[in-house]
């Protein structure tokens, strides 16, 4: 039985999704990064993982080759994060899929939760949005090579050092931005914290190609459900424009959304950028019942505009 190190508590998370790249080694790396996101978002250290694999029916040699490629890529990421692949389970299905059940540990005094945002906190996003719509465009044969390359690079940025930097600057709450999109995960944080927020769409970083793909009407299959889930919190804001639609785009191996004390936010942002993050300050936590006010002008966030432009 796995026991936490002295003075720490265990964390557990599980996720799985179907392959969206033909390069299964690369897909294995991204799947591992994605699943580690929950553990990192809580301020934890990953310790061990169990693989959850499905493979299409076919010759055993082909299945073995695909399995080896996925797990080789995943193990590269898990080992770098300090976790071992302890085993797993495989099954046959119509499509290739990979996921992990991950166990981690954290000192309770350093545990980061979705609740904990305080009025006056600044909201920081550590990665650009757009993986959902870019992958959807790729599946339709409408994504440029540069778009996909940028998305793949973003999905492989390690999360552990990023959350460590957020914690070092006094993060009050944190979550990873994945399938529910930015607004969906922000809504979870606001509900858990009992606060509202103002968000500047112009300050939210987007991957190359995301805005163009959204303008063409391309959407992930999860997009409409994400939009419906947060519509009641937006005060009637229109989610149709590409800049706003990006806020509900589902992410794979997305960045982290965190609250930071206002005084620490500019220094934290500079530290994140030294790590190579295309991070930005995108809003402010406000008193009130959970709700999200989308700002119309970046000038309403003078600190954000100045930092993002730099």
């Amino acid at each position: 039985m796995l026991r936490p190190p002295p003075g720490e508590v265990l964390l557990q998370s599980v996720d799985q999704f179907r392959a969206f790249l033909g390069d299964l080694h690369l897909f294995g790396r991204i799947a591992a990064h994605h699943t580690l996101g929950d553990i990192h978002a809580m301020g934890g250290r990953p310790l061990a993982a169990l693989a959850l694999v499905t493979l299409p029916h076919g010759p055993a040699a082909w299945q073995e080759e695909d399995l080896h490629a996925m797990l080789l890529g995943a193990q590269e990421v898990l080992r770098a994060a300090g976790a071992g692949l302890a085993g797993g389970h495989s099954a046959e299905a119509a499509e290739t899929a990979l996921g992990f059940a991950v166990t981690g540990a954290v000192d309770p005094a350093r545990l980061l939760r979705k609740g904990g945002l305080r009025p006056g906190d600044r909201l920081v996003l550590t990665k650009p949005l757009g993986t959902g719509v870019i992958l959807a465009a790729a599946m339709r044969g409408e994504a440029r090579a540069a778009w996909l390359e940028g998305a793949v690079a973003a999905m492989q940025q390690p999360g552990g050092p990023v959350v460590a930097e957020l914690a070092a600057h006094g993060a009050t709450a944190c979550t990873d931005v994945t399938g529910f999109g930015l607004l969906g995960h922000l809504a979870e944080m606001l509900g858990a914290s009992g606060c509202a927020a103002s968000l500047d769409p112009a300050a939210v970083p987007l991957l190359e190609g995301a805005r163009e793909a959204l303008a063409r009407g391309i959407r992930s299959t999860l997009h409409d459900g994400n939009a419906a889930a947060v519509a009641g919190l937006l005060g009637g804001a229109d989610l149709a424009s590409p800049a706003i639609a990006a806020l509900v785009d589902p992410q794979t191996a997305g960045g982290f959304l965190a609250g930071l004390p206002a005084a620490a936010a500019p220094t934290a942002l500079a530290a994140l950028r030294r790590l190579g993050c295309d991070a930005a300050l995108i809003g402010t936590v406000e008193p009130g019942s959970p709700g999200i006010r989308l700002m119309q002008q970046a000038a309403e966030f003078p600190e954000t505009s100045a930092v993002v432009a730099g």
Side-chain angles (χ1 to χ4, degrees):
M1 179 178 180
L2 187 64
R3 298 182 183 277
E8 296 187 320
V9 295
L10 289 180
L11 305 170
Q12 291 189 307
S13 180
V14 62
D15 209 339
Q16 184 185 37
F17 46 90
R18 67 184 182 87
F20 50 79
L21 295 173
D23 185 335
L24 294 182
H25 173 266
L26 188 54
F27 171 66
R29 290 181 56 85
I30 293 170
H33 278 300
H34 181 90
T35 313
L36 290 172
D38 276 336
I39 301 296
H40 286 142
M42 292 184 278
R45 299 179 297 107
L47 301 176
L50 296 173
L52 308 170
V53 183
T54 62
L55 294 165
H57 302 279
W62 294 2
Q63 291 180 324
E64 182 178 348
E65 182 178 346
D66 287 352
L67 179 63
H68 178 266
M70 286 192 291
L71 294 186
L72 178 62
Q75 282 185 296
E76 292 169 356
V77 171
L78 293 170
R79 286 172 181 160
L85 184 59
H89 178 75
S90 63
E92 290 186 321
E95 294 183 299
T96 301
L98 177 64
F100 297 92
V102 182
T103 299
V106 66
D107 180 339
R110 299 182 178 180
L111 178 64
L112 289 170
R113 301 179 184 272
K114 294 177 183 178
L117 293 175
R118 303 171 301 192
D121 284 350
R122 302 303 308 277
L123 294 170
V124 61
L125 178 65
T126 67
K127 281 186 186 181
L129 304 178
T131 58
V133 69
I134 289 172
L135 291 175
M139 291 175 188
R140 293 169 53 166
E142 297 185 34
R144 298 176 186 169
W147 299 0
L148 193 56
E149 288 171 3
V152 166
M155 289 186 284
Q156 292 189 85
Q157 293 174 352
V162 175
V163 177
E165 205 65 69
L166 291 169
H169 287 83
T172 57
C174 185
T175 190
D176 56 332
V177 179
T178 52
F180 295 153
L182 174 64
L183 293 185
H185 289 286
L186 175 57
E188 289 184 325
M189 296 180 78
L190 296 176
S193 303
C195 298
S198 294
L199 191 72
D200 177 13
V204 175
L206 301 181
L207 290 167
E208 180 185 356
R211 186 185 300 270
E212 183 175 338
L214 288 165
R216 292 182 188 175
I218 299 172
R219 299 289 188 272
S220 163
T221 55
L222 298 179
H223 184 101
D224 290 346
N226 287 350
V230 299
L233 298 175
L234 299 177
D238 182 11
L239 287 169
S241 73
I244 307 301
L247 305 182
V248 293
D249 184 53
Q251 305 302 290
T252 297
F256 300 98
L257 176 64
L260 291 166
T267 305
L269 186 62
L272 291 170
R273 291 187 167 180
R274 285 195 294 271
L275 285 178
C277 296
D278 188 4
L281 299 176
I282 62 170
T284 300
V285 180
E286 299 177 341
S289 58
I292 303 169
R293 183 167 65 100
L294 299 181
M295 310 298 283
Q296 299 302 312
Q297 299 293 331
E300 295 188 62
F301 283 111
E303 288 180 49
T304 303
S305 303
V307 175
V308 169

